Amino acid sequence: MPLAKKLPAKTSRTPKTLGAVARQQLLLVDGLLDEVARNYLARLHREIAELLRVLEGKQAEPGFSRRELKGLQTILKKISLLQINPERGRRKDLKKIDALIGELQSTVEKW
């Protein structure tokens, strides 16, 4: 989906017209932001749910292997090292959570 519409003809490039086009484009970006954020969060929630399913499946088994116990310790350590400030609502905090989920998936995949 193209983000920018063509600007009006040169003769009608008045400040008012340009302002209206800019407003339209900003509203489009605002809608895209909501859609991207919704999809991004949904993906992260799915990945966390999958990690939980794997952990619950392992708990249902008779016991953890030595490798799995080491992996659990790694998971707990990585989670405890996560330092974010949710009140700030920063992209870097989302990136940290995304990276953490990826690292946890890598650990669990080795089981």
Side-chain angles (χ1 to χ4, degrees), residues 28-45:
L28 178 63
V29 170
D30 190 49
L32 289 172
L33 172 65
D34 287 340
E35 184 178 351
V36 169
R38 197 172 31 254
N39 291 333
Y40 182 71
L41 288 176
R43 178 181 60 82
L44 292 179
H45 285 295

Side-chain angles (χ1 to χ4, degrees), residues 66-80:
R66 186 175 285 182
R67 174 185 236 175
E68 292 167 346
L69 284 174
K70 187 171 178 140
L72 281 174
Q73 290 172 342
T74 302
I75 286 172
L76 291 172
K77 183 175 183 176
K78 286 181 180 184
I79 291 172
S80 71

Side-chain angles (χ1 to χ4, degrees), residues 3-25:
L3 184 59
K5 266 187 169 177
K6 282 190 172 182
L7 289 176
K10 216 172 198 174
T11 56
S12 65
R13 283 191 180 178
T14 64
K16 188 174 182 179
T17 305
L18 290 174
V21 171
R23 182 182 183 287
Q24 219 176 13
Q25 294 299 302

